Every structure is written in C-alpha cells, then in structure tokens.
C-alpha cells in the first residue's frame, strides 16, 4: 500500500500540472513502519521534465516530520486525445 500511495502522489502531481504520464519505473525505500490509525503527510515533487519523460519524487512523513518512506519514479509522457 505504501508503494501505491507514493506512486499515486507522483502521478497525480504530474496530472495536476498538466503532464499526462504513466509510471515506467519506481524505486521505493521503506525507512520506518507505517502504522494503521496514524496520520501521515504525503509530499511529492517533479524533479525534472524532459521531452518524453518526467522524473518525480515523493515521500511520507509521520507526525514528527520524520520520513518513513520515499520513492523516485520515471514517468513516460502519453498523448491524450481531447
């Protein structure tokens, strides 16, 4: 579930910025357990945009602002017919 949340954060961020792209690769590092019933903050950023790909990063912070998981992905741009 943690990997999915991080992937969604990066994909949704790209979409909100008008970049239509799908995940090609993702690398996830789990640093601490994520526990049910706790509050977490998910943060994402676009690191780089190229002609055909987007590099994105996301991480999850606990209530103490400690990073519990982080991910980096390469998203491939796709064309959307409007």
């Amino acid at each position: 579930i943690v990997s999915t949340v991080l992937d969604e954060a990066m994909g949704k961020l790209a979409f909100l910025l008008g970049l239509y792209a799908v995940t090609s690769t993702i690398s996830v590092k789990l640093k601490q357990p994520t526990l049910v019933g706790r509050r977490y903050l998910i943060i994402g950023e676009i690191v780089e945009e190229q002609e055909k790909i987007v590099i994105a990063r996301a991480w999850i912070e606990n209530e103490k602002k400690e990073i519990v998981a982080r991910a980096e992905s390469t998203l491939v741009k796709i064309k959307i017919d409007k």
Side-chain angles (χ1 to χ4, degrees):
I1 292 177
V2 171
S3 297
T4 302
V5 168
L6 291 165
D7 185 35
E8 278 295 306
M10 294 180 280
K12 294 280 190 208
L13 176 59
F15 178 78
L16 290 172
L17 295 174
L19 304 170
Y20 301 104
V22 295
T23 302
S24 172
T25 63
I26 184 170
S27 172
V28 178
K29 293 185 181 176
L30 306 173
K31 302 176 78 60
Q32 294 182 27
T34 50
L35 306 172
V36 174
R38 302 272 175 94
R39 292 183 179 257
Y40 296 95
L41 177 65
I42 296 103
I43 302 166
E45 65 181 355
I46 301 299
V47 177
E48 182 179 346
E49 181 186 355
Q50 298 177 13
E51 183 180 343
K52 295 184 180 184
I53 65 167
V54 176
I55 307 297
R57 209 178 331 206
W59 59 94
I60 300 173
E61 293 181 356
N62 62 20
E63 291 177 322
K64 297 178 184 177
K65 299 199 181 278
E66 300 169 322
I67 295 175
V68 298
R70 67 174 66 232
E72 186 166 309
S73 72
T74 300
L75 298 100
V76 177
K77 292 182 181 178
I78 58 173
K79 292 182 182 182
I80 300 291
D81 294 329
K82 295 183 181 183

